[in-house]
Amino acid sequence: MHEYIAIAVLIGLATLIALIAIVLGELFGPKKKSAVKSMPYESGMDPYGEGTRRMPVHFYLIAVLFILFDIEVVFFLPWAVVFRKLGLFGLIEMIIFIAILLVGYVYAWKKGALEWE
Amino acid sequence: MDWVIWLIWIVKGFFLAMFLLVGFAYLTWYERRALARIQVRVGPNRAGPFGLLQPIADAVKLIFKEELTPAKAYKIVFFLAPIITMVPSIIIAAVIPWGPQEPQVKLFGYTISLYVADINVGVLYLMSIASIAVYGIVLAGWSSNSKYAMLGGLRSTAQMISYEITLGLAFVTVILLAGSMRMLDIVEAQRSWWFVVIQPVGAAVFLIAVLAEVNRAPFDMPEAEQELTAGYHAEYSGMKFALFFMAEYQKMIVVSAIAATVFFGGYLGPFVHRWPLLGPIYMLIKIIILLFGMIWVRATWPRVRYDRLMAFGWKVMLPLALAIVFITGFGILLAQELGDPIYLTVIPAASIVAGVIAVIMVNRALTRKRILSYEPR
């Protein structure tokens, strides 16, 4: 448990460093605001429309696939720790689990979920 | 007694954070000098001997720059995003061991362990903190309310989460070989052979995934100057920009330290179990060599196109990482059942075959595309 308090102390220190850096910049930097300066940067053109507009649906697809496979990796972790105790049974069981997952992977691939135009 | 423990934690955390901060400053200098040498230039050499004061000059310049917040930005998130990016890049280093537990290092009568925290789920900690870094980037891109920043943030996020899976699987091979998630156990398990010898393809996969994870060249699409100006931190200036810059370079140092720990024997080296204070020195040498590798890659390879980057991550790295996990498991099982560690040599042999197959597949896919693209549609 002590170890986690050490990490919490480190988190506090890191946040402090970040805050000090920002405060330093706020203290010493010039503050001459103007309408042109506070426009979003668009290579010199006047910005057109909202900045956060609709985005390609493909990014959502990648996110969903990521969740699937990341959970798979999370399943792998405890399996890897006790792998020597599980022996052959563990290996075969994991192969079956991955085989089921690979069906979905192949489906996503063939459906073109991994392609970018 | 109690306040001494607190003092030790604070001092150790302070040392680690300072190491990363100073390391960040001098990594920028190191990178510019090394890149310059590779490109037959001299690089920064005006401020101080060999340009050693250049990072300080840069820091002072950034402090005196104006902090701009775009009028349409989401102010609170815009302020928090650099902090959320920077903090994980420091705290991820907490579990990295810098020296062996035995013999103990004594200072003023107190035992000083050469790590900040020794938790038994070290690898899980690394993976979870690495995931938090994504939040800072996506929030920075979104809260700027600017098209370039938004696109950069989206691209960066998609790329980081895609390669995170591969990274996780590379960690799994390490856990399989060490039989533990504790970082000290992982290092001690490499006393006879470093894991890079037993699982060379795993190490290669790890290093490539790590390049994508820290958005370094040739996977620096999010910061592609020619198309996105600066990606997710296009709207940031002054010290807030410096925090993003800091986070990127600290992540470089930290991932080099992690790669050194899990594949290149960590603090292990000659006599380290007699004089444990040699451990940090060996670590530092390994980190500097790995950092030079990253800089060399940046100087050598052009940027990868985004669709190829994602295709490479999902279609090549993921199956390859899965394959080497099972090859590692199979080899360990073989050595265990037949009772002879010589069968562990199955692992490097079979993984190299898998790696060569992957390289051939990539080559063939690229050649076919090249022929197709020359034909009129």
Side-chain angles (χ1 to χ4, degrees):
Chain A
M1 201 53 221
H2 276 179
E3 311 289 339
Y4 291 98
I5 303 175
I7 290 175
V9 169
L10 190 60
I11 292 176
L13 276 173
T15 317
L16 201 67
I17 290 171
L19 285 177
I20 288 174
I22 289 183
V23 166
L24 272 182
E26 294 281 345
L27 276 184
F28 292 107
K31 286 174 204 66
K32 298 192 196 89
K33 286 215 163 75
S34 72
V36 181
K37 262 190 203 169
S38 51
M39 263 196 236
Y41 176 71
E42 246 163 63
S43 306
M45 314 286 268
D46 277 352
Y48 166 77
E50 275 291 296
T52 49
R53 45 175 58 192
R54 292 187 295 175
M55 59 182 100
V57 73
H58 208 102
F59 288 108
Y60 288 105
L61 213 59
I62 290 290
V64 170
L65 282 176
F66 161 71
I67 291 173
L68 272 177
F69 281 93
D70 210 40
I71 289 172
E72 168 214 323
V73 172
V74 171
F75 274 131
F76 261 115
L77 292 173
W79 170 80
V81 173
V82 293
F83 179 73
R84 282 183 170 78
K85 284 182 201 131
L86 289 177
L88 188 63
F89 169 75
L91 188 67
I92 291 172
E93 185 136 74
M94 206 33 137
I95 287 175
I96 293 170
F97 171 66
I98 289 302
I100 295 169
L101 210 96
L102 277 184
V103 174
Y105 175 71
V106 171
Y107 177 76
W109 186 331
K110 290 290 165 205
K111 269 284 188 185
L114 308 179
E115 311 288 337
W116 293 74
E117 288 99 56
Chain B
M1 185 61 205
D2 204 21
W3 64 271
V4 173
I5 297 180
W6 281 92
L7 192 68
I8 290 176
W9 284 337
I10 291 173
V11 168
K12 272 200 290 193
F14 183 75
F15 263 100
L16 185 68
M18 278 304 128
F19 166 73
L20 285 173
L21 279 178
V22 175
F24 145 69
Y26 279 94
L27 179 58
T28 58
W29 173 83
Y30 178 49
E31 180 179 29
R32 287 166 73 182
R33 293 287 290 193
L35 268 182
R37 284 292 166 195
I38 291 170
Q39 295 162 352
V40 206
R41 294 184 286 120
V42 183
N45 66 344
R46 290 286 141 183
F50 307 108
L52 273 173
L53 297 180
Q54 188 67 40
I56 298 166
D58 288 343
V60 171
K61 186 199 81 173
L62 277 170
I63 286 174
F64 287 98
K65 284 279 178 186
E66 183 170 3
E67 300 254 355
L68 289 173
T69 308
K72 281 186 179 170
Y74 304 92
K75 297 274 175 344
I76 298 168
V77 185
F78 190 80
F79 175 78
L80 282 178
I83 301 176
I84 298 176
T85 318
M86 200 283 240
V87 170
S89 73
I90 286 185
I91 62 172
I92 195 170
V95 292
I96 296 169
W98 294 84
Q101 220 169 11
E102 298 285 333
Q104 289 165 335
V105 183
K106 297 264 187 195
L107 197 70
F108 307 126
Y110 292 102
T111 312
I112 309 287
S113 48
L114 292 169
Y115 43 77
V116 171
D118 169 35
I119 54 179
N120 53 3
V121 286
V123 174
L124 195 63
Y125 176 83
L126 291 181
M127 284 172 64
S128 46
I129 301 294
S131 315
I132 291 178
V134 181
Y135 283 98
I137 286 172
V138 72
L139 288 178
W142 175 76
S143 68
S144 300
N145 209 344
S146 154
K147 279 162 217 147
Y148 282 133
M150 184 75 194
L151 282 174
L154 278 178
R155 277 186 176 188
S156 191
T157 313
Q159 166 186 337
M160 282 167 88
I161 61 177
S162 299
Y163 280 80
E164 210 171 292
I165 302 164
T166 318
L167 197 67
L169 287 171
F171 272 130
V172 168
T173 61
V174 174
I175 301 170
L176 272 175
L177 288 168
S180 169
M181 278 205 250
R182 196 165 153 248
M183 299 306 273
L184 276 163
D185 289 347
I186 289 174
V187 176
E188 289 298 325
Q190 301 179 55
R191 275 179 85 162
S192 45
W193 291 105
W194 291 359
F195 286 163
V196 69
V197 182
I198 305 178
Q199 186 49 277
V201 182
V205 164
F206 183 87
L207 291 176
I208 295 172
V210 139
L211 274 182
E213 193 74 7
V214 299
N215 297 332
R216 286 289 298 176
F219 301 129
D220 58 347
M221 281 316 292
E223 286 146 52
E225 292 89 358
Q226 293 86 345
E227 23 189 306
L228 287 178
T229 63
Y232 57 88
H233 54 62
E235 295 295 337
Y236 282 89
S237 59
M239 284 312 272
K240 290 205 191 89
F241 162 74
L243 283 184
F244 280 115
F245 203 59
M246 202 190 276
E248 188 185 328
Y249 281 83
Q250 280 173 353
K251 271 190 234 160
M252 273 174 74
I253 300 174
V254 165
V255 295
S256 300
I258 294 170
T261 307
V262 297
F263 280 110
F264 298 92
Y267 54 76
L268 292 179
F271 303 118
V272 75
H273 283 90
R274 194 175 307 162
W275 297 296
L277 283 177
L278 279 176
I281 297 171
Y282 289 134
M283 259 315 250
L284 212 58
I285 294 171
K286 286 169 189 174
I287 290 174
I288 288 174
I289 292 173
L290 284 170
L291 282 175
F292 181 73
M294 279 178 149
I295 295 167
W296 194 3
V297 164
R298 173 175 169 180
T300 307
W301 271 300
R303 192 174 286 137
V304 181
R305 217 171 65 198
Y306 193 69
D307 61 331
R308 288 199 177 153
L309 167 75
M310 296 301 278
F312 184 64
W314 283 98
K315 294 180 181 171
V316 182
M317 297 289 276
L318 180 59
L320 182 62
L322 267 179
I324 59 170
V325 164
F326 283 108
I327 289 168
T328 313
F330 181 72
I332 289 172
L333 208 62
L334 210 62
Q336 196 183 23
E337 295 295 312
L338 301 176
D340 192 351
I342 198 74
Y343 289 101
L344 281 178
T345 49
V346 170
I347 301 175
S351 342
I352 286 173
V353 170
V356 168
I357 290 173
V359 171
I360 291 172
M361 298 278 268
V362 173
N363 238 338
R364 275 186 53 196
L366 289 180
T367 334
R368 216 181 312 134
K369 265 201 191 117
R370 203 177 305 142
I371 294 166
L372 273 182
S373 62
Y374 283 134
E375 286 168 2
R377 294 258 163 125

